[in-house]
Amino acid sequence: MFLCPERFPTYQAHEIETADAVDDTSDWICLKDAAGCLITILHFYLADEDLILDVHEGATGTGTTAITETFPIWVNFNCASTDAAINTMVRQTDAANFTLDTGTYPYNNIIMFYIDASILSDGYDWIQLGSSGGHATNYMAATYTLDRSRYQQATPPNALGL
């Protein structure tokens, strides 16, 4: 099986914006018909200010209740490096949030979270990338990729609830 966008639909979680302006404004996505969701965050560094990332859960796609269960996290701390040992995704300790220390890693970064639908609280099917901090001259963007879901008809469903 290959990674096919028909089986792993990908949605924009947040358009490119200054990191401080993204604070808790990402779109919500429903995991009701998916095994989970891979959240991919692109962070473009220009100035030092830590970026704190977490994931919210909700019953209707609203709120700021953070997931308290831990989830897998991967980070590429230096996307611009030509050194393959540095420019690679590195598994982090599972956690319920992640702080990108831009003083230690003053580079462009990729951060990935895998949210298994089974860790959501009872009655909660919706998730949202949450964030705080981030510098006004740094930029970020994010996508959601649904795991083991598929478009069921020619016109894709509106998983973002727009």
Side-chain angles (χ1 to χ4, degrees):
M1 176 60 64
F2 63 95
L3 186 61
C4 174
E6 289 178 4
R7 295 189 48 83
F8 299 92
T10 299
Y11 301 92
Q12 180 175 272
H14 206 290
E15 70 277 7
I16 297 171
E17 182 64 79
T18 60
D20 65 326
V22 174
D23 288 0
D24 294 342
T25 61
S26 293
D27 287 332
W28 285 81
I29 191 160
C30 185
L31 302 188
K32 184 177 181 182
D33 296 320
C37 181
L38 182 67
I39 302 173
T40 303
I41 301 109
L42 303 174
H43 180 260
F44 309 97
Y45 175 87
L46 287 170
D48 181 15
E49 186 168 338
D50 292 354
L51 178 64
I52 303 160
L53 301 164
D54 61 7
V55 180
H56 302 149
E57 63 180 357
T60 60
T62 61
T64 56
T65 302
I67 292 175
T68 57
E69 295 289 329
T70 62
F71 47 82
I73 301 168
W74 296 265
V75 180
N76 179 332
F77 286 108
N78 187 353
C79 300
S81 175
T82 57
D83 182 343
I86 296 171
N87 184 6
T88 188
M89 297 304 292
V90 177
R91 177 76 183 258
Q92 306 299 298
T93 302
D94 290 4
N97 56 51
F98 179 78
T99 299
L100 177 61
D101 182 346
T102 55
T104 303
Y105 301 104
Y107 314 104
N108 295 339
N109 318 102
I110 299 173
I111 302 111
M112 300 175 96
F113 299 156
Y114 181 78
I115 307 301
D116 192 304
S118 69
I119 71 169
L120 300 179
S121 299
D122 288 343
Y124 285 19
D125 295 322
W126 292 81
I127 63 169
Q128 175 199 40
L129 173 64
S131 64
S132 62
H135 198 276
T137 61
N138 294 344
Y139 285 82
M140 66 179 279
T143 61
Y144 299 129
T145 301
L146 294 179
D147 182 15
R148 287 173 271 170
S149 179
R150 62 171 279 125
Y151 297 126
Q152 299 296 320
Q153 64 264 11
T155 303
N158 188 346
L160 293 177
L162 300 175

